[in-house]
């Protein structure tokens, strides 16, 4: 028997080198620990395939700063890309990640990794609510210091940390350029803030031992689902303000638009909505308690639905999926269990029609706005939430043992 046909290989390593989009070469050591011993041939094949996927992942980064110090997040993203029938892995390690030929820069980036992946959220302006086109907007006046030309920064209007996104508005009506009304799923993927930086907070709370009961998995998933609901809520309200109330022309799929709609938050896991209390209180006063709570509830239903879809794509059966969600929903939303039942209105909707359907429901609640325009504006945000849900669902699946 040839030595490579003996199943006695428990781990294998590869050095992975790739060039990021800003032309910096990044290198690290990738180690696969198999759940069961493999033959040398199978182990080498798995290592080569995994290394190729890691190189592709590195190459997709716009900047090397997104990678250095983000080994855990990179591993989580890499696990999502492993093909079907890939040998079961007990653990996947990425170590010694550095910029080739620049050890000083690598060390500095590693020390600063907790801050370079975050954006600084600026304060939200607080003008008194006014009424436009029959609806109240909590922030319908342009910021001071930028009123002379009839144009201003949409990012500043939305209280966003972004300072690069511009949109024009006429003092007498909508902006000169129309918002794209094409479906939110375009053939060219939108430019978005990297998932890697957002996933840091997910890792600690989602690490459960395999075989955990659905109740424990649901409780671990709950704060993440709550944050996703909060991001959808804030994103819709800001999109509604910019598109429906101000008549701005937004460039579909731009990273700056996403930043304008939903700012990065330094709040702990589960605390996103609480970190936007002042802003949401202004919307509550503008819409009224009843309408605001219905918008909030629909955002929660959407988050539960996206969690359900993410688990389903990973092959988690309904017998485990639904108990997880039935525990996650009340833990995330103050004891409310009805969101799991309410997500049924989206289950039969094609994936590409989910965002328009969600926006249609929300527009019907607030009584004003163009659902397709809002869907085009919200598509990048929902895509980023789906990406994050996919990674959180991976941890939930691993914990379930299926």
């Amino acid at each position: 028997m040839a030595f490579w046909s003996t199943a006695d290989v428990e781990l294998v390593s590869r050095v992975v080198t790739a060039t990021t989009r800003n032309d910096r070469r990044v290198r690290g050591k990738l180690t696969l620990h198999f759940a069961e011993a493999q033959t040398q041939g199978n182990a080498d094949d798995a290592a080569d395939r995994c290394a190729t996927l890691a190189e592709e992942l590195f190459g997709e980064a716009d900047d090397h700063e997104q990678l250095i110090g983000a080994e855990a997040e990179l591993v989580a993203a890499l696990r999502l890309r492993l093909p079907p029938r890939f040998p079961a892995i007990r653990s996947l390690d990425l170590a010694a990640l550095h910029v080739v030929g620049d050890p000083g820069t690598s060390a500095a980036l590693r020390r600063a990794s907790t801050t370079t992946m975050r954006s600084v959220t600026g304060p939200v302006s607080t003008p008194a609510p006014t009424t436009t086109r029959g609806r109240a907007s909590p922030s319908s006046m342009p910021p001071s210091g930028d009123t002379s030309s009839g144009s201003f920064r949409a990012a500043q209007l939305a209280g966003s940390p972004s300072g690069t996104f511009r949109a024009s508005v006429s003092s007498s009506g909508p902006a000169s350029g129309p918002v794209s009304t094409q479906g939110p799923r375009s053939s060219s993927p939108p430019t978005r803030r990297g998932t890697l930086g957002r996933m840091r907070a997910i890792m600690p709370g989602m690490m459960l031992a395999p075989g955990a009961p659905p109740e424990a998995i649901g409780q671990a998933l709950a704060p993440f689902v709550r944050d996703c609901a909060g991001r959808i809520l804030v994103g819709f309200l800001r999109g509604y303000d910019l598109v429906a109330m101000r008549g701005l022309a937004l460039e579909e799929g731009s990273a700056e638009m996403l930043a304008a709609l939903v700012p990065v938050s330094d709040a702990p896991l589960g605390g996103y909505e609480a970190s936007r209390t002042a802003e949401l209180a202004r919307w509550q006063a503008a819409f009224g308690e009843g309408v605001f709570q219905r918008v909030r509830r629909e955002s929660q239903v959407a988050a539960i639905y996206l969690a359900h879809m993410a688990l389903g794509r990973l092959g988690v059966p309904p017998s485990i999926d639904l108990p997880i969600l039935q525990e996650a929903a009340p833990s995330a939303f103050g004891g409310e269990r009805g969101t799991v039942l309410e997500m049924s209105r989206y289950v039969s909707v094609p994936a590409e029609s989910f965002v328009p359907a969600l926006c249609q429901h929300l527009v019907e609640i607030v009584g004003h706005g163009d659902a397709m325009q809002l869907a085009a504006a919200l598509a990048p945000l929902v895509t980023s939430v789906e990406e994050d849900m996919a990674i959180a669902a991976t941890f939930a699946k691993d914990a379930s043992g299926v």
Side-chain angles (χ1 to χ4, degrees), residues 255-299:
E256 291 81 8
M257 180 175 73
L258 179 60
L261 293 183
V262 181
V264 174
S265 173
D266 289 329
L269 183 63
Y272 184 88
E273 183 177 325
S275 73
R276 314 307 305 174
T277 298
E279 178 181 356
L280 293 176
R282 292 193 295 275
W283 279 107
Q284 188 169 353
F287 280 135
E289 176 71 14
V291 171
F292 176 81
Q293 291 302 336
R294 289 177 64 196
V295 172
R296 183 170 179 257
R297 173 60 170 251
E298 198 64 28
S299 301

Coordinates of all heavy atoms in Angstrom, one line a residue, residues 255-299:
A255 N -21.1 52.6 -2.0 CA -20.7 52.4 -0.6 C -21.1 53.6 0.2 O -21.5 53.5 1.4 CB -19.2 52.1 -0.5
E256 N -21.0 54.8 -0.4 CA -21.4 56.0 0.4 C -22.9 56.0 0.7 O -23.3 56.5 1.7 CB -21.0 57.2 -0.4 CG -19.5 57.4 -0.5 CD -18.8 56.6 -1.6 OE1 -19.6 55.9 -2.4 OE2 -17.6 56.5 -1.7
M257 N -23.7 55.5 -0.2 CA -25.1 55.5 0.0 C -25.4 54.6 1.2 O -26.2 54.9 2.1 CB -25.9 55.0 -1.2 CG -27.4 55.0 -1.0 SD -28.3 54.5 -2.5 CE -27.9 52.8 -2.6
L258 N -24.8 53.4 1.2 CA -25.0 52.5 2.4 C -24.5 53.2 3.7 O -25.2 53.1 4.7 CB -24.2 51.2 2.1 CG -24.3 50.2 3.2 CD1 -25.7 49.7 3.4 CD2 -23.4 49.0 2.9
A259 N -23.4 53.9 3.6 CA -22.9 54.6 4.8 C -23.9 55.7 5.3 O -24.1 55.9 6.5 CB -21.5 55.1 4.6
A260 N -24.5 56.3 4.3 CA -25.5 57.4 4.6 C -26.7 56.8 5.2 O -27.3 57.4 6.1 CB -25.8 58.2 3.3
L261 N -27.1 55.6 4.7 CA -28.4 55.1 5.3 C -28.2 54.5 6.7 O -29.0 54.7 7.5 CB -28.9 54.0 4.3 CG -29.4 54.4 3.0 CD1 -29.9 53.3 2.2 CD2 -30.4 55.5 3.1
V262 N -27.1 53.7 6.9 CA -26.9 53.1 8.2 C -25.5 53.3 8.6 O -24.6 52.7 8.1 CB -27.2 51.6 8.1 CG1 -27.0 51.0 9.5 CG2 -28.6 51.4 7.6
P263 N -25.3 54.1 9.7 CA -23.9 54.4 10.1 C -23.3 53.2 10.9 O -24.1 52.4 11.5 CB -24.1 55.6 11.1 CG -25.5 55.4 11.6 CD -26.3 54.9 10.4
V264 N -22.0 53.1 10.9 CA -21.4 52.1 11.7 C -21.5 52.4 13.1 O -21.5 53.6 13.5 CB -19.9 52.0 11.3 CG1 -19.1 51.1 12.3 CG2 -19.7 51.6 9.9
S265 N -21.7 51.5 14.0 CA -22.0 51.7 15.4 C -20.9 51.0 16.2 O -20.5 49.9 15.9 CB -23.3 51.2 15.8 OG -23.5 51.3 17.2
D266 N -20.5 51.7 17.3 CA -19.5 51.1 18.2 C -20.3 50.4 19.4 O -19.6 50.0 20.4 CB -18.6 52.2 18.8 CG -17.6 52.6 17.7 OD1 -17.2 51.8 16.9 OD2 -17.2 53.8 17.8
A267 N -21.6 50.3 19.3 CA -22.4 49.7 20.3 C -22.0 48.2 20.5 O -21.6 47.6 19.5 CB -23.8 49.9 20.1
P268 N -22.1 47.6 21.7 CA -21.9 46.2 21.8 C -22.9 45.4 21.1 O -24.0 45.9 20.7 CB -22.0 46.0 23.3 CG -22.9 47.1 23.8 CD -22.5 48.3 22.9
L269 N -22.7 44.1 20.9 CA -23.6 43.2 20.2 C -24.9 43.3 20.8 O -25.1 43.1 22.0 CB -23.0 41.8 20.2 CG -23.9 40.7 19.4 CD1 -23.9 41.1 17.9 CD2 -23.3 39.4 19.7
G270 N -26.0 43.5 20.0 CA -27.3 43.6 20.5 C -27.8 45.0 20.8 O -28.9 45.2 21.1
G271 N -26.9 46.0 20.7 CA -27.2 47.3 21.2 C -27.3 48.3 20.1 O -27.3 49.5 20.3
Y272 N -27.4 47.9 18.8 CA -27.5 48.8 17.7 C -28.6 49.8 17.8 O -28.5 51.0 17.7 CB -27.5 48.1 16.3 CG -27.4 49.1 15.2 CD1 -26.2 49.5 14.7 CD2 -28.6 49.7 14.6 CE1 -26.1 50.4 13.7 CE2 -28.5 50.6 13.6 CZ -27.3 51.0 13.1 OH -27.2 51.9 12.2
E273 N -29.8 49.3 18.0 CA -31.0 50.1 18.0 C -30.9 51.1 19.2 O -31.3 52.3 19.1 CB -32.3 49.3 18.1 CG -33.6 50.1 18.1 CD -34.8 49.3 18.1 OE1 -34.9 48.2 17.5 OE2 -35.8 49.8 18.7
A274 N -30.5 50.6 20.3 CA -30.4 51.4 21.5 C -29.4 52.6 21.3 O -29.5 53.7 21.8 CB -29.9 50.6 22.7
S275 N -28.4 52.3 20.4 CA -27.4 53.4 20.2 C -28.0 54.5 19.3 O -27.4 55.5 19.2 CB -26.1 52.8 19.5 OG -26.4 52.4 18.1
R276 N -29.1 54.2 18.7 CA -29.8 55.2 17.8 C -31.1 55.8 18.5 O -32.0 56.3 17.8 CB -30.1 54.7 16.5 CG -29.1 53.8 15.8 CD -27.8 54.6 15.7 NE -27.9 55.9 15.0 CZ -26.9 56.7 14.9 NH1 -25.7 56.5 15.5 NH2 -27.1 57.9 14.3
T277 N -31.1 55.7 19.8 CA -32.4 56.1 20.5 C -32.8 57.5 20.2 O -34.0 57.7 19.9 CB -32.1 56.0 22.0 OG1 -31.8 54.6 22.4 CG2 -33.4 56.4 22.8
A278 N -31.9 58.5 20.2 CA -32.4 59.9 20.0 C -32.9 60.0 18.6 O -34.0 60.7 18.4 CB -31.2 60.8 20.2
E279 N -32.3 59.4 17.6 CA -32.8 59.5 16.2 C -34.1 58.9 16.0 O -35.0 59.4 15.4 CB -31.7 58.9 15.3 CG -32.2 58.9 13.8 CD -31.1 58.2 12.9 OE1 -30.1 57.8 13.4 OE2 -31.4 58.1 11.7
L280 N -34.3 57.7 16.6 CA -35.5 56.9 16.5 C -36.7 57.6 17.3 O -37.8 57.6 16.8 CB -35.3 55.5 17.0 CG -34.4 54.6 16.2 CD1 -34.2 53.3 16.8 CD2 -34.9 54.5 14.8
A281 N -36.3 58.3 18.4 CA -37.3 59.0 19.1 C -37.9 60.2 18.2 O -39.1 60.5 18.3 CB -36.8 59.6 20.4
R282 N -37.1 60.8 17.4 CA -37.6 61.9 16.6 C -38.5 61.3 15.5 O -39.5 61.9 15.2 CB -36.4 62.6 15.9 CG -35.6 63.4 16.9 CD -34.6 64.4 16.2 NE -33.6 63.7 15.4 CZ -32.5 63.2 15.9 NH1 -32.2 63.4 17.2 NH2 -31.6 62.6 15.1
W283 N -38.2 60.1 15.0 CA -39.1 59.5 14.0 C -40.4 59.1 14.7 O -41.5 59.2 14.1 CB -38.4 58.3 13.4 CG -37.5 58.6 12.3 CD1 -36.1 58.6 12.3 CD2 -37.9 59.1 11.0 NE1 -35.6 59.0 11.1 CE2 -36.7 59.3 10.2 CE3 -39.1 59.3 10.3 CZ2 -36.7 59.7 8.9 CZ3 -39.1 59.8 9.0 CH2 -37.9 60.0 8.3
Q284 N -40.3 58.6 15.9 CA -41.5 58.2 16.6 C -42.4 59.4 16.8 O -43.7 59.3 16.7 CB -41.1 57.6 18.0 CG -42.3 56.9 18.7 CD -41.8 56.1 19.9 OE1 -40.6 55.9 20.1 NE2 -42.7 55.7 20.7
A285 N -41.9 60.5 17.2 CA -42.7 61.7 17.3 C -43.2 62.2 16.0 O -44.4 62.7 15.9 CB -41.8 62.8 18.0
A286 N -42.5 62.0 14.9 CA -42.9 62.5 13.6 C -44.1 61.6 13.1 O -45.0 62.1 12.5 CB -41.8 62.5 12.6
F287 N -43.9 60.3 13.2 CA -44.9 59.4 12.6 C -46.1 59.1 13.6 O -47.2 58.8 13.1 CB -44.3 58.0 12.3 CG -43.5 57.9 11.1 CD1 -42.2 57.3 11.0 CD2 -44.0 58.4 9.9 CE1 -41.5 57.2 9.8 CE2 -43.3 58.3 8.7 CZ -42.1 57.7 8.7
G288 N -45.8 59.2 14.9 CA -46.8 58.8 15.8 C -46.5 57.4 16.3 O -45.8 56.6 15.6
E289 N -46.8 57.1 17.5 CA -46.5 55.8 18.2 C -46.9 54.6 17.3 O -46.2 53.7 17.1 CB -47.1 55.7 19.6 CG -46.9 54.4 20.3 CD -45.4 54.2 20.7 OE1 -44.7 55.2 20.7 OE2 -45.1 53.1 21.1
G290 N -48.2 54.6 16.9 CA -48.7 53.5 16.2 C -48.0 53.2 14.9 O -47.6 52.0 14.7
V291 N -47.8 54.2 14.0 CA -47.1 53.9 12.8 C -45.6 53.5 13.0 O -45.1 52.6 12.4 CB -47.2 55.2 11.9 CG1 -46.3 55.1 10.6 CG2 -48.6 55.4 11.4
F292 N -45.0 54.2 13.9 CA -43.6 53.9 14.2 C -43.4 52.5 14.6 O -42.5 51.8 14.1 CB -43.0 54.9 15.2 CG -41.6 54.5 15.6 CD1 -40.5 54.9 14.8 CD2 -41.3 53.8 16.7 CE1 -39.2 54.6 15.1 CE2 -40.0 53.5 17.1 CZ -38.9 53.9 16.2
Q293 N -44.2 52.0 15.5 CA -44.1 50.7 16.0 C -44.4 49.6 15.0 O -43.8 48.5 15.0 CB -45.0 50.5 17.3 CG -44.6 51.2 18.5 CD -43.2 50.9 19.0 OE1 -42.6 49.8 18.7 NE2 -42.5 51.8 19.7
R294 N -45.3 49.9 14.0 CA -45.5 49.0 12.9 C -44.3 48.9 12.0 O -44.0 47.8 11.5 CB -46.8 49.4 12.2 CG -48.1 49.2 12.9 CD -49.3 49.7 12.1 NE -49.4 49.0 10.9 CZ -50.2 49.4 9.9 NH1 -50.8 50.6 9.9 NH2 -50.3 48.7 8.8
V295 N -43.7 50.0 11.7 CA -42.5 50.0 10.9 C -41.4 49.2 11.6 O -40.7 48.4 11.0 CB -42.0 51.5 10.6 CG1 -40.6 51.5 10.0 CG2 -43.0 52.2 9.8
R296 N -41.3 49.5 12.9 CA -40.3 48.7 13.7 C -40.5 47.2 13.7 O -39.6 46.4 13.5 CB -40.3 49.3 15.1 CG -39.3 48.7 16.1 CD -39.2 49.5 17.4 NE -38.3 48.9 18.3 CZ -38.6 48.2 19.4 NH1 -39.9 48.0 19.6 NH2 -37.7 47.8 20.2
R297 N -41.8 46.9 13.8 CA -42.2 45.5 13.8 C -41.9 44.8 12.5 O -41.4 43.7 12.4 CB -43.7 45.3 14.1 CG -44.3 44.0 14.0 CD -43.6 43.0 15.0 NE -44.3 41.7 15.0 CZ -45.1 41.3 16.0 NH1 -45.1 42.0 17.1 NH2 -45.7 40.1 16.0
E298 N -42.1 45.5 11.4 CA -41.9 44.9 10.1 C -40.4 44.7 9.9 O -40.0 43.8 9.2 CB -42.4 45.8 9.0 CG -42.6 45.2 7.6 CD -43.6 44.0 7.6 OE1 -44.5 44.1 8.4 OE2 -43.4 43.1 6.8
S299 N -39.5 45.6 10.4 CA -38.1 45.4 10.4 C -37.7 44.2 11.1 O -36.8 43.4 10.7 CB -37.4 46.6 10.9 OG -37.7 47.8 10.2

